[in-house]
Amino acid sequence: MSSVKKKQKVLMRRSENLYINPTSLVAPISPPLNPLTSNLPFDLDLQSSEKEDRKKQPLISSLAEAEAGKGHFFDHLFHFSTHLSRFIRFSDPSSPILPLSDFRDLYTRNSHPKGHHFVIHQHDHPVARLHYDLRLQINETSSVSWAIMYGLPGNVRSRRLNRNATETRVHSLWNHLIETASHCTGSILIYDTGEYSILPWERPTNEMDDSASSDPDVPSKDKQSTLAEPEKLQRRIRLQLHGTRLPPDYTISLRLPQFNDRTTQPKKPARKRRRKVPETATTSRDETPPCSDNEHHDTVMASDIVPDVHGRSDAQVSRFEREIREQEDEEVQRTNAYPGATNIINSVHQRTWYLSMDRHASGFVATVEERGKRTWTRRREGGILHGFEPFFVLGRDMERSVVTGRLSGEIMKDEGVEGYVGRKGWRAVVE
């Protein structure tokens, strides 16, 4: 048999055996699935030993199951990028695109202890509402996370330039690859991904950005250029995010106020007794109801909810399984890290940080107008115009994935999720 025919046979066999009855294969998809091409995230020239290893890998039955930490795979990059390759659709020419080959290369070259991978997930959750998760790699296997309600600021003249960023659980690094949906977790979309760099912290001057006010207990000579001290996350962080969607030199400041500088994890909230719902009551058509007991409290962030991946009720879960789940929950609460991740920097759950755009580092300069009012304009140096035009984070109905080009609703459809209605009340910041 010729080598060409052998390769074709390998392609057909792999396309048939990649998954076992995933919901995405029975969902109506438009446009049709992309045909298998040489751009697939695996090499036809793998050594025989590598091929045998991949044959032994557990197959993905649900990406939501993997996101919940229930899947254990030999090669996360292979599985997730293969899944995403089936749903690529870029119908909007103005939408930023990260080719799948670059997406894989980005993850691969940061798969080491000093990697600087980041991802921003748009997460439309039935309890925590729509928000944006910023995840920063801290070692070879883990990433620290913040939940930002309205996404990153993009208008240098905005009256609402600052954001609250809530520290959440430490995730496994392979969570950066996920784009999926389920009734329990809502939709998760890759809003942007890339690499980050840490800039030294500098006290603002009259010519620089003063949007991040300083604390009196931090000396002005503080020039930290690392994300964390030994076993401790820095209280002041300047990040330059080199992504696909975000403009060049885009820089933000994260500051943990002194009054919120806790070093111990919060205690588990008291379990509330569920109110008995009358038999005549019906579920509201406006919102998808929670599907887990963990989702009774609005302060629970979306990234911290790990539902039963089989969609079973408590009555259907055995006593042994329930005890195991409670032990796992206690361990996650104690370490603030999901299984597979390590909290080496003592990230503390639910601490609120202040996040702001660093306007000077992002390429802008302040000019003083009449009556002492300052305005920010793009800086020009040596004939080069720095800064960028304003951008706005517009939410689930407008923002597309930089990897697949899908909207939140299209991800729901591709994953076979029907009848989901997200919580209302989220409004884009355009002032």
Side-chain angles (χ1 to χ4, degrees), residues 163-180:
R163 303 283 189 273
N164 282 342
T166 303
E167 206 169 340
T168 60
R169 303 291 187 201
V170 174
H171 284 63
S172 293
L173 184 63
W174 53 260
N175 276 265
H176 292 205
L177 303 170
I178 284 180
E179 185 169 281
T180 186

Side-chain angles (χ1 to χ4, degrees), residues 138-139 141-145 167-172 228 230-233 263-265 331-338 340-349 351:
I138 56 175
N139 59 25
T141 62
S142 312
S143 61
V144 64
S145 302
E167 206 169 340
T168 60
R169 303 291 187 201
V170 174
H171 284 63
S172 293
E231 301 181 354
K232 182 180 179 181
L233 192 62
T263 57
T264 57
Q265 303 297 339
E331 181 66 13
V332 169
Q333 177 196 349
R334 185 184 67 82
T335 62
N336 193 37
Y338 285 131
T342 54
N343 186 4
I344 63 172
I345 57 176
N346 194 29
S347 172
V348 179
H349 187 49
R351 289 193 301 191

